[in-house]
């Protein structure tokens, strides 16, 4: 990110997240009741000491769906 450009040109960066509270509640219930298998969505698993490698992998969308970092 060109942080100097943000400061110099007074650029504002805004992110958004679209899940409504009811969506999150329904998703958590599905997970709790084991109605969906999310383990199959995790394509890569890294230990915390390999966090840099994990982030590099996460940017490689060709073979990556979800990256899990475990402490």
């Amino acid at each position: 990110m060109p942080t100097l450009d943000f400061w110099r040109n007074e650029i504002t960066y805004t992110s958004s997240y679209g899940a409504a509270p009811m969506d999150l509640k329904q998703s958590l219930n599905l997970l709790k009741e084991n109605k969906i298998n999310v383990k199959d969505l995790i394509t890569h698993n890294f230990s915390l000491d390999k966090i840099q490698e994990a982030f590099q992998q996460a940017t490689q969308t060709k073979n990556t769906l979800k990256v899990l970092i475990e402490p």
Side-chain angles (χ1 to χ4, degrees):
M1 297 286 265
T3 55
L4 185 60
D5 290 343
F6 283 88
W7 172 76
R8 184 180 319 160
N9 300 323
E10 297 184 20
I11 297 172
T12 301
Y13 176 80
T14 305
S15 64
S16 65
Y17 181 70
M22 183 56 85
D23 295 332
L24 293 173
K25 184 177 180 180
Q26 289 174 342
S27 298
L28 289 173
N29 283 336
L30 289 171
L31 290 169
K32 189 190 318 184
E33 296 168 5
N34 292 321
K35 291 188 176 180
I36 56 173
N37 180 7
V38 294
K39 289 182 180 182
D40 291 342
L41 300 176
I42 300 169
T43 56
H44 297 82
N45 195 332
F46 293 90
S47 60
L48 190 56
D49 63 328
K50 296 191 179 203
I51 194 167
Q52 183 65 37
E53 187 179 342
F55 278 101
Q56 288 174 345
Q57 184 64 51
T59 63
Q60 312 263 329
T61 59
K62 182 170 58 170
N63 296 319
T64 304
L65 185 58
K66 294 291 179 189
V67 175
L68 179 66
I69 301 170
E70 294 188 71

